[in-house]
Amino acid sequence: MKTLVINIKQLVQVEDTPCSCKAGKDMARVGIIPDAYLLVEDEKIAGFGKMEDLNRESIYANGDTIKEIDASGRLVLPSYCDSHTHLVYAGSREIEYIDKIRGLSYEEIAKRGGGILNSAERIRHASEEELFQSAYERIQEIAGFGTGAVEIKSGYGLDTESELKMLKVIRRLKAETPLLIKSTFLGAHAVPAEYKGRQTEYVDLIINEMIPTIAGEELADYIDVFCDKGFFTVEDTDRILNAGMKYGMRAKIHANELDYSGGVQVGVKYNAISVDHLEYIGEEEISALLGSETMPTVLPGAAFFLNMPYSPVRKMIEAGLPVALASDYNPGSSPSGNMKFVMSLGCINYKMLPEEVINATTLNSAYAMGVQEEAGSIAVGKLANFYITSPLPGIEYIPYAYTANIVEATFLRGKQY
Ligand code: NIG
Ligand code: FE
């Protein structure tokens, strides 16, 4: 089965030789072909180029049926890779939203049994089927916004059975949706109520029971820890990442959201695939990241929603680092998985250029979830995960029109979704 998209006004994020990610000044460079075509064969991208170079004879050579789509006036972009979400959850938390409006801080809400523990209570009472259905709807929602790959964390179970329940839901989403999905075990998201005052014992439970069980059932690609003030210490994180590594789970952690927590440094020590949030980043964190294989990942939706200080993204880029952006879709700090809005926030609040936010939400976020060989750009051999926009002037319009839905058609694994 072949699909040929023709007359594309701009084919965006094309790569002849795919790179693993873009750092520093290169973040402002995006390959764009004006007046282009894109050829899809089965699940993959089979070719692309300028319309004037389109060789119809060779494409139609062996009598295949080919679906042609005229994209006049429209742009084609690779689907977003959303490398950090918590989109399996039960219930919403708008009451805490009101508490926040009234002035309570994230930490104060957490201390009162709200926040993550509130979601944990609800997850424990939800069936696997209920969780699957609501997460499936969220997957459909984000696919409609243009997302084609998503990382999803556990972390609202906080006991072995409930963490397994969440990870099984993610496994089922992997099997039953066309999105490229990676799963992350986040047992160390918060200390559950029944372990209050016994944090080390909870860390022991994660290490001695949860990790071996989850690894035994091959339920997690990555392991995460909320390494921050009031949550897990550097020492806890070190122990958990070390245990995860022994079972083949690479680190991918929450770090430096609430303070200079040492999270970035411990993440780099374990060669984390990414360290995420990064509101508190100074020279030490930047030098730890330089020369590492760890992708600094910023979550503009959470900082916006919680009114937190903004991560010094320009400083990181000017220091030569790559930066990825992700949605953090979750019921507490970012009840939105809209990656286009994340791009707008990147431009408005972090002073990123449209080219930089495109790289940060496609190529670099693909790297941050370990799918850069299959997704994140328009390159021959990668999965045909892309979207066609409505008619619009050019790439700059996408983050500029910050609430407009510009996705006209989405293709995942070569099929219209
Ligand atoms: O990434 N910071 C830690 N965890 C989530 C928040 C989860 C919640 O509040 O439910 C985050 O923002
Ligand atoms: Fe998160």
Side-chain angles (χ1 to χ4, degrees), residues 84-86 153 186 189 224 254 257 276-277 299 328-330 333:
H84 181 137
T85 81
H86 309 247
K153 301 171 195 297
L186 175 55
H189 198 189
D224 195 345
H254 284 73
E257 175 184 4
D276 302 16
H277 273 290
L299 310 171
D328 199 14
Y329 196 177
N330 76 74
S333 65

Side-chain angles (χ1 to χ4, degrees), residues 82-392:
D82 190 352
S83 64
H84 181 137
T85 81
H86 309 247
L87 67 70
V88 174
Y89 60 82
S92 49
R93 305 217 311 256
E94 62 282 353
I95 301 305
E96 290 168 22
Y97 172 67
I98 307 305
D99 286 344
K100 261 173 243 148
I101 293 171
R102 294 208 159 104
L104 265 68
S105 74
Y106 185 64
E107 285 151 299
E108 281 163 341
I109 292 169
K111 281 210 180 91
R112 291 184 355 160
I116 296 163
L117 295 188
N118 185 352
S119 287
E121 188 56 31
R122 296 179 191 213
I123 277 270
R124 290 174 180 189
H125 292 105
S127 71
E128 200 175 308
E129 185 58 32
E130 282 162 2
L131 287 177
F132 174 79
Q133 287 308 332
S134 59
Y136 187 82
E137 280 169 26
R138 288 179 203 118
I139 290 273
Q140 284 181 307
E141 178 201 16
I142 63 170
F145 293 148
T147 295
V150 62
E151 179 261 14
I152 312 171
K153 301 171 195 297
S154 68
Y156 291 128
L158 308 180
D159 62 35
T160 308
E161 191 192 328
S162 310
E163 285 294 308
L164 281 168
K165 182 165 69 180
M166 290 189 75
L167 290 165
K168 284 180 185 162
V169 169
I170 303 171
R171 177 165 69 190
R172 203 173 145 199
L173 293 168
K174 284 186 187 187
E176 295 185 28
T177 75
L179 281 85
L180 198 50
I181 297 177
K182 293 285 178 184
S183 60
T184 301
F185 166 54
L186 175 55
H189 198 189
V191 176
E194 63 275 20
Y195 277 86
K196 195 165 183 233
R198 298 187 293 136
Q199 178 147 335
T200 306
E201 282 175 52
Y202 182 59
V203 172
D204 290 341
L205 178 80
I206 291 174
I207 292 172
N208 300 326
E209 188 177 292
M210 293 190 193
I211 292 175
T213 314
I214 287 160
E217 297 196 36
E218 295 184 25
L219 281 166
D221 300 301
Y222 301 112
I223 186 160
D224 195 345
V225 176
F226 187 7
C227 179
D228 231 315
K229 190 173 82 180
F231 288 84
F232 293 87
T233 64
V234 168
E235 196 197 338
D236 296 332
T237 308
D238 197 296
R239 289 182 61 209
I240 294 168
L241 297 187
N242 196 23
M245 192 179 67
K246 288 187 185 142
Y247 283 93
M249 296 178 207
R250 190 166 171 193
K252 177 168 178 50
I253 70 169
H254 284 73
N256 297 49
E257 175 184 4
L258 306 171
D259 203 356
Y260 295 95
S261 61
V264 168
Q265 288 88 333
V266 71
V268 170
K269 175 179 168 191
Y270 282 95
N271 191 29
I273 192 163
S274 73
V275 286
D276 302 16
H277 273 290
L278 313 184
E279 275 71 16
Y280 291 85
I281 293 295
E283 298 306 327
E284 273 184 44
E285 285 76 12
I286 289 180
S287 52
L289 286 162
L290 279 168
S292 77
E293 292 177 358
T294 301
M295 178 61 69
T297 300
V298 173
L299 310 171
F304 166 73
F305 191 76
L306 298 180
N307 267 321
M308 286 191 297
Y310 296 132
S311 173
V313 167
R314 284 256 60 92
K315 252 193 177 167
M316 291 195 275
I317 295 175
E318 271 148 34
L321 287 171
V323 170
L325 299 179
S327 76
D328 199 14
Y329 196 177
N330 76 74
S333 65
S334 184
S336 163
N338 188 329
M339 287 292 278
K340 176 176 169 287
F341 185 54
V342 166
M343 284 173 89
S344 298
L345 291 175
C347 292
I348 297 163
N349 291 335
Y350 299 81
K351 311 284 176 244
M352 296 172 80
L353 296 167
E355 291 83 355
E356 290 174 327
V357 292
I358 289 173
N359 280 316
T361 53
T362 57
L363 260 183
N364 287 2
S365 51
Y367 179 99
M369 58 182 287
V371 299
Q372 70 275 20
E373 282 173 16
E374 300 152 276
S377 68
I378 303 292
V380 172
K382 283 198 181 186
L383 284 176
N385 284 7
F386 62 92
Y387 64 92
I388 304 175
T389 69
S390 45
L392 52 88

Side-chain angles (χ1 to χ4, degrees), residues 1-5 60 64-69 411 415-416:
M1 171 67 190
K2 286 181 182 172
T3 303
L4 179 63
V5 190
Y60 281 88
D64 298 347
T65 38
I66 298 176
K67 184 180 169 190
E68 265 196 39
I69 298 170
F411 286 78
K415 286 209 184 90
Q416 192 160 353

